[in-house]
C-alpha cells in the first residue's frame, strides 16, 4: 500500500521508514524566504479569494530549538558535523544556520532510507542553494553529486536596477552510490528543425522522414565494397542487411544510377537529450487546470521528468515535504508507489481530494493515512496540542474546506461546503461549519443559527469534541429543515467527533458533480502497467522494507 503520513518528517523517517527501502526522493523544503505562505481559495462565485489560511510560516530563527538541532547533529560526528561547524564559522548564529541545522538531520535520514541504486533531488532557490549543495556534499559525498539543474520557473519581470532579475530555481541531484537508476529523457524536436530536415512525408502512412547517407566514411573496407542497385560503393552495412532494408522499403533510389539512401523516420528518433537547464516546463499558471491554490505548487510535468529519469515502474518514490501532493500525483500517474509526509492536516486533506478527483473514489483503497486520530483519545490529544490542526482534520472528515484564519476574521465560520441541487440551475448553495474542541452548550447552537441566517446559508453544522446536550438538540431541531429534491435536511445539524469516527456524515443533498468546495484536480489515467491487485501490492510493498501495519 502507498502511505501518506501526517507529522514531522524527521520523526516519521526515524520511526516508520526502513533502511535502504526507497528508490527516489524528491523534496521541496521551505526556502528560508522569511515569508508566510497562505492557501488561497476562490470564492464560490469564482471571484479571486479573500479567503485564505496560513499553510505554513517559512521563517527560521536561531533560538533554543535551532541550537539543539545544531548540537545534536554536530555531536553525532562525521562529515555532516564538520560541515555544520564550518557553516557556523561562516554565517554565525544566524537564521540561515537555523535553516541548515533543520535540514541537516533530515538529509541524513533521507540518505539512510535511500537504496544504493537510488537518487535524491533537492529543490531550492538560489538564496540557499550554495549552502545546501555543501550540506548535500557533507551527507552524500561530493563523489555522488550528479547535477545542478536550473529550472526557469518564470520569465524575467520588472526592471531590477542593481542586479539581473531572479527567475529560476535549482534542483540538486545526488545518488547514494556510483551506480544508480537512469533513464535518459528527451524533448520533442523543434518544429523548424522538423520542417527543414524531415521534409519528406509518406503518402500512405503520413510519416515524416529524412534521407540519410548509406556510404561508409572508411574507404578501406573491402568486405563492405560491392555493387548495390547498380552503384558500387563502400557501404555502411553488409549486403545481406542492405537487401533486407531494401525489401522492407527503408532504402530508396531516386533514379537509376543514383546513390541509394536510407529513410530515417521522425517518429523513430528520440528527440533532443534533456540537459541541465530546463526552460520547457512552465510553472503552474494562474488559470492552469492543475492549479490547486497551494503555495509553492510545482507543475506535474516537472515531477514526471524527474520520476521518469530516476526510477523504474513500481519503484517507491518519497516526498518528505509533500504539500499539495504533486510528487504523489506524478508517481501514481507513472505507475510508481509512493510515500508522502506533511506536517499539516490541511495538506493531507488536499492530497486526498486531489487523488480522488484525478483517479476516482477507488484510489482511496490503494493508500493508508498514518498519524491521524483514530479514536476519541487521539482526537482529544490533537485538539489540546493544536486547535487549528484539529479543525483542519475535523473539516477533512466531511470534505469541507477551511475558512479564513486571519485573527478575528472567521466570523464564526471554521469551514464551508458548497453544493448545487437545482435541476438545471446554477445557483451555488452553502453549508456553514463550526468546529468546537472545548465545552459546548445551547449558546453555540444559537450562534451558529445566527451565522447561517447572516450568510444566507442553507445548512449549518456544529462539529464538537464533546457530546451534545438535550437542550442543544432541541434548539437545533427547532430551526426546521432545508428541502431539496432529495428530501428534508436539518437546517442545523450537530455532529460529534465520535459520530464522524463511526462514519456518520452531514445530511445534505446528493452530489451532482458540481460541488465546488475544493479546486478540482484534472482527471487523468496512470501511465505504465496495470494497477496491482491490492493484496499483491501490499505484499510487494512489505517486502521492500517499508514498515506496514501488518
Amino acid at each position: 500500500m502507498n502511505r501518506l503520513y501526517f507529522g514531522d518528517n524527521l520523526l516519521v523517517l526515524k520511526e516508520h521508514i526502513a533502511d535502504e527501502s526507497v528508490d527516489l526522493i524528491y523534496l521541496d523544503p521551505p526556502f528560508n524566504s522569511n515569508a508566510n505562505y497562505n492557501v488561497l481559495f476562490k470564492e464560490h462565485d469564482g471571484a479571486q479569494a479573500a479567503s485564505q489560511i496560513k499553510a505554513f510560516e517559512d521563517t527560521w530563527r536561531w533560538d533554543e530549538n535551532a541550537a539543539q538541532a545544531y548540537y545534536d547533529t554536530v555531536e553525532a560526528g562525521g562529515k555532516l558535523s564538520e560541515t555544520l561547524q564550518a557553516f557556523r564559522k561562516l554565517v554565525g548564529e544566524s537564521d540561515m544556520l537555523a535553516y541548515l541545522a533543520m535540514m541537516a538531520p533530515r538529509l541524513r535520514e533521507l540518505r539512510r532510507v535511500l537504496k544504493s541504486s537510488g537518487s535524491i533531488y533537492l529543490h531550492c532557490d538560489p538564496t540557499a542553494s550554495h549552502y545546501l549543495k555543501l550540506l548535500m556534499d557533507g551527507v552524500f559525498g561530493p563523489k555522488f553529486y550528479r547535477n545542478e539543474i536550473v529550472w526557469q520557473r518564470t520569465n524575467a519581470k520588472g526592471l531590477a536596477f542593481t542586479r539581473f532579475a531572479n527567475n529560476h530555481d535549482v534542483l540538486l541531484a545526488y545518488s547514494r552510490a556510483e551506480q544508480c537508476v537512469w533513464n535518459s529523457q528527451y524533448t520533442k524536436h523543434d518544429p523548424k528543425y522538423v520542417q527543414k530536415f524531415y521534409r519528406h512525408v509518406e503518402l500512405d502512412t503520413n510519416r515524416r522522414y529524412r534521407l540519410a547517407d548509406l556510404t561508409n566514411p572508411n574507404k578501406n573496407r573491402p568486405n563492405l565494397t560491392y555493387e548495390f542497385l547498380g552503384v558500387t560503393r563502400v557501404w555502411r552495412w553488409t549486403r545481406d542487411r542492405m537487401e533486407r532494408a531494401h525489401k522492407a522499403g527503408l532504402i530508396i533510389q531516386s533514379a537509376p544510377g543514383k546513390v541509394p539512401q536510407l529513410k530515417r523516420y521522425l517518429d523513430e528518433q528520440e528527440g533532443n537529450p534533456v540537459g541541465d537547464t530546463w526552460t520547457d516546463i512552465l510553472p503552474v499558471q494562474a488559470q492552469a487546470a492543475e492549479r490547486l491554490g497551494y503555495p509553492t505548487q510545482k507543475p506535474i510535468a516537472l515531477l514526471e521528468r524527474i520520476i521518469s529519469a530516476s526510477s523504474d515502474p513500481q519503484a517507491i518514490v518519497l516526498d518528505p515535504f509533500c504539500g499539495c501532493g504533486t510528487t504523489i500525483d506524478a508517481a501514481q500517474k507513472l505507475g510508481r508507489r509512493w510515500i508522502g509526509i506533511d506536517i499539516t492536516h490541511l495538506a493531507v486533506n488536499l492530497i486526498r481530494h486531489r487523488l480522488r478527483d484525478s483517479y476516482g473514489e477507488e484510489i482511496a483503497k490503494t493508500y493508508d493515512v498514518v498519524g491521524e486520530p483514530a479514536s476519541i483519545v487521539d482526537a482529544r490529544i490533537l485538539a489540546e496540542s493544536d486547535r487549528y490542526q484539529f479543525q483542519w482534520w475535523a473539516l477533512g472528515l466531511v470534505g469541507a474546506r477551511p475558512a479564513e484564519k486571519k485573527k478575528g476574521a472567521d466570523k464564526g465560520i471554521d469551514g464551508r461546503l458548497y453544493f448545487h441541487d437545482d435541476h438545471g440551475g446554477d445557483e451555488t448553495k452553502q453549508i456553514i461549519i463550526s468546529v468546537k474542541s472545548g465545552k459546548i452548550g445551547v449558546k453555540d447552537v444559537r450562534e451558529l443559527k445566527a451565522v447561517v441566517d447572516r450568510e444566507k446559508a442553507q445548512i449549518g453544522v456544529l462539529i464538537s469534541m464533546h457530546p451534545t446536550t438535550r437542550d442543544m438538540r432541541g434548539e437545533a431541531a427547532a430551526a426546521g429543515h432545508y428541502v431539496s429534491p432529495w428530501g428534508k435536511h436539518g437546517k442545523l445539524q450537530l455532529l460529534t467527533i465520535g459520530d464522524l469516527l463511526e462514519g456518520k456524515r452531514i445530511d445534505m443533498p446528493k452530489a451532482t458533480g458540481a460541488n465546488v468546495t475544493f479546486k478540482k484536480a484534472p482527471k487523468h489515467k496512470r501511465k505504465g502497467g496495470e494497477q496491482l491487485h491490492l493484496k499483491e501490492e501490499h505484499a510487494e510493498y512489505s517486502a521492500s522494507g517499508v514498515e506496514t501495519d501488518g
Side-chain angles (χ1 to χ4, degrees), residues 256-274:
K258 293 286 187 179
V259 178
Q261 292 177 290
L262 173 69
K263 284 184 178 180
R264 290 195 182 277
Y265 290 103
L266 175 64
D267 56 19
E268 293 178 350
Q269 309 310 309
E270 292 176 319
N272 299 313
V274 174

Side-chain angles (χ1 to χ4, degrees), residues 41-44 51 395 399-403 414-416 418 517-518:
F41 295 101
K42 287 186 180 295
E43 298 297 350
H44 63 269
S51 295
L395 291 169
R401 87 177 194 188
D414 294 315
R416 299 176 191 265
Y418 296 115
T517 302
F518 282 91

Side-chain angles (χ1 to χ4, degrees), residues 527-544:
K527 295 179 181 178
E530 292 296 321
Q531 181 76 34
L532 282 177
H533 187 279
L534 293 182
K535 291 183 179 178
E536 294 172 344
E537 187 171 3
H538 182 75
E540 284 196 22
Y541 202 87
S542 301
S544 69

Side-chain angles (χ1 to χ4, degrees), residues 153-439:
R153 54 179 166 74
T154 183
N155 293 322
K157 296 178 181 178
L159 188 62
F161 292 100
T162 59
R163 58 175 173 79
F164 295 109
N166 294 329
N167 68 334
H168 80 277
D169 283 353
V170 174
L171 290 97
L172 302 172
Y174 283 73
S175 62
R176 173 74 185 264
E178 290 212 24
Q179 298 297 322
C180 62
V181 174
W182 179 252
N183 305 304
S184 296
Q185 300 296 298
Y186 301 89
T187 60
K188 293 181 179 179
H189 290 295
D190 186 281
K192 293 181 180 178
Y193 171 83
V194 171
Q195 289 293 333
K196 182 176 180 180
F197 292 100
Y198 288 86
R199 59 182 182 274
H200 304 287
V201 181
E202 283 186 344
L203 296 179
D204 54 340
T205 65
N206 203 36
R207 296 175 73 188
R208 282 188 172 272
Y209 67 91
R210 64 180 299 181
L211 296 175
D213 189 8
L214 276 168
T215 61
N216 199 317
N218 185 354
K219 301 306 179 184
N220 188 24
R221 298 295 299 274
N223 61 319
L224 294 177
T225 303
Y226 54 87
E227 181 185 327
F228 182 72
L229 296 181
V231 178
T232 301
R233 291 288 190 276
V234 182
W235 303 104
R236 289 181 179 272
W237 298 343
T238 64
R239 182 186 295 274
D240 183 59
R241 185 176 177 185
M242 290 281 279
E243 293 288 356
R244 293 198 310 269
H246 183 244
K247 188 175 181 180
L250 298 177
I251 295 177
I252 64 173
Q253 188 179 37
S254 59
K258 293 286 187 179
V259 178
Q261 292 177 290
L262 173 69
K263 284 184 178 180
R264 290 195 182 277
Y265 290 103
L266 175 64
D267 56 19
E268 293 178 350
Q269 309 310 309
E270 292 176 319
N272 299 313
V274 174
D276 62 5
T277 303
W278 297 357
T279 60
D280 60 320
I281 297 178
L282 297 175
V284 181
Q285 304 289 343
Q287 302 303 319
E290 68 179 283
R291 184 175 180 85
L292 300 175
Y294 198 84
T296 73
Q297 181 181 350
K298 300 302 182 292
I300 195 169
L302 185 74
L303 273 301
E304 287 180 349
R305 176 171 291 174
I306 292 169
I307 292 171
S308 297
S310 292
S311 71
D312 295 324
Q314 291 304 310
I316 297 175
V317 179
L318 166 66
D319 187 342
F321 295 88
C322 63
C324 66
T326 301
T327 304
I328 290 170
D329 193 357
Q332 182 72 29
K333 184 178 178 182
L334 294 173
R336 274 63 167 176
R337 292 173 289 172
W338 49 262
I339 303 170
I341 309 171
D342 202 272
I343 201 167
T344 72
H345 281 294
L346 174 66
V348 172
N349 288 332
L350 187 56
I351 292 169
R352 279 174 161 156
H353 282 84
R354 181 173 189 168
L355 290 173
R356 184 197 65 192
D357 293 342
S358 297
Y359 304 98
E361 297 287 349
E362 291 296 307
I363 190 67
K365 298 177 182 178
T366 68
Y367 68 90
D368 290 331
V369 179
V370 181
E372 288 197 316
S375 68
I376 294 293
V377 174
D378 294 340
R380 186 175 296 115
I381 292 172
L382 177 62
E384 292 172 353
S385 64
D386 191 321
R387 182 167 62 90
Y388 284 144
Q389 290 284 354
F390 173 78
Q391 284 184 5
W392 293 342
W393 168 70
L395 291 169
L397 292 178
V398 297
R401 87 177 194 188
E404 191 173 10
K405 283 301 173 211
K406 291 181 179 179
K407 185 176 180 181
D410 62 14
K411 300 179 180 179
I413 304 171
D414 294 315
R416 299 176 191 265
L417 274 168
Y418 296 115
F419 66 92
H420 298 144
D421 66 354
D422 292 331
H423 295 293
D426 59 0
E427 181 185 355
T428 300
K429 300 177 181 180
Q430 65 173 319
I431 300 172
I432 299 296
I433 303 172
S434 175
V435 180
K436 301 292 183 183
S437 57
K439 293 183 178 180

Side-chain angles (χ1 to χ4, degrees), residues 512-528:
T512 62
N515 190 307
V516 291
T517 302
F518 282 91
K519 175 73 167 63
K520 277 186 175 288
K523 203 173 270 291
H524 46 244
K525 295 181 180 180
R526 201 181 86 171
K527 295 179 181 178

